[in-house]
Amino acid sequence: GDSVTQMEGPVTLSEEAFLTINCTYTATGYPSLFWYVQYPGEGLQLLLKATKADDKGSNKGFEATYRKETTSFHLEKGSVQVSDSAVYFCALSDRGSTLGRLYFGRGTQLTVWP
Amino acid sequence: DGGITQSPKYLFRKEGQNVTLSCEQNLNHDAMYWYRQDPGQGLRLIYYSQIVNDFQKGDIAEGYSVSREKKESFPLTVTSAQKNPTAFYLCASSNEPGLAEETQYFGPGTRLLVL
């Protein structure tokens, strides 16, 4: 079945450090891939997405490339800020199913220190 | 402003009590979803609805019920049969369900606590 595995946290970085959060997936169809971000006590906000192989999603300095050969969608940012501290979720939507439901990873807590 | 609203922000349930969580969207989306989030876990799907008057069970539907009488509204009832209801509940809606461009948008959540 469909599933998402992302690196366990917590991840702790100093401001301006480089960020990578790994995400790999298993899917039976042709998934779209997403990164969502959750700030404390809030709902999820869409950060970026990619709908087909080799697409790169980007937003607010974050990037992720849809790699079909390695079934991966790793999140990267070149220089993190304190305001990036949040929980990040990788998710997939398998369009091969009758409904594009989302399958989520467990989330990775990121803390950025000044 | 278009978006998804959930109320209340916090909800307290007594033993044996049914409680209803509200979810409203003005995005004109056909599909709506309810997820449960527990600490350290990803989101798990409770129920979903693709169109008005139709809904389907997700992975953890036992102890929950829903209705979809209007396109804008998808309330979730946590019944007394749900023995471990303490969690953060998230409602979402999406455009173009099942298509490549589908994207789910989330509300701010309701935290349910048992007294």
Side-chain angles (χ1 to χ4, degrees), chain A residues 36 38 49 95 99 101, chain B residues 37 48 59 100-101 103-104:
Chain A
Y36 283 86
Q38 185 178 36
K49 71 175 187 179
R95 302 191 300 281
L99 177 77
R101 57 167 291 173
Chain B
Q37 184 181 23
Y48 61 93
D59 299 325
E101 296 308 310
T103 300
Q104 288 190 24

Side-chain angles (χ1 to χ4, degrees), chain A residues 76-97:
Chain A
E76 296 182 335
K77 187 175 186 183
S79 176
V80 293
Q81 306 299 313
V82 172
S83 57
D84 294 327
S85 298
V87 180
Y88 292 81
F89 290 93
C90 185
L92 75 81
S93 173
D94 190 348
R95 302 191 300 281
S97 63

Side-chain angles (χ1 to χ4, degrees), chain A residues 8-47:
Chain A
E8 295 191 12
V11 174
T12 303
L13 296 172
S14 298
E15 205 165 28
E16 299 183 4
F18 184 85
L19 169 70
T20 299
I21 301 178
N22 290 339
C23 172
T24 57
Y25 67 89
T26 301
T28 54
Y30 305 93
S32 294
L33 300 172
F34 304 85
W35 279 101
Y36 283 86
V37 59
Q38 185 178 36
Y39 298 100
E42 298 185 7
L44 273 66
Q45 298 177 23
L46 177 67
L47 183 59

Side-chain angles (χ1 to χ4, degrees), chain B residues 35-101:
Chain B
Y35 293 91
R36 170 178 171 142
Q37 184 181 23
D38 294 282
Q41 305 274 331
L43 279 67
R44 292 183 290 170
L45 184 65
I46 305 173
Y47 268 98
Y48 61 93
S49 169
Q50 287 184 278
I51 57 172
V52 174
N53 293 321
D54 182 62
F55 49 83
Q56 306 294 330
K57 293 182 179 180
D59 299 325
I60 55 165
E62 185 175 352
Y64 300 97
S65 65
V66 294
S67 63
R68 187 83 188 278
E69 297 176 0
K70 297 187 299 182
K71 187 175 184 177
E72 312 82 56
S73 178
F74 192 40
L76 173 74
T77 297
V78 184
T79 74
S80 57
Q82 172 51 244
K83 299 306 180 187
N84 184 24
T86 297
F88 192 48
Y89 291 86
L90 288 159
C91 178
S93 69
S94 72
N95 53 349
E96 310 290 351
L99 300 181
E101 296 308 310

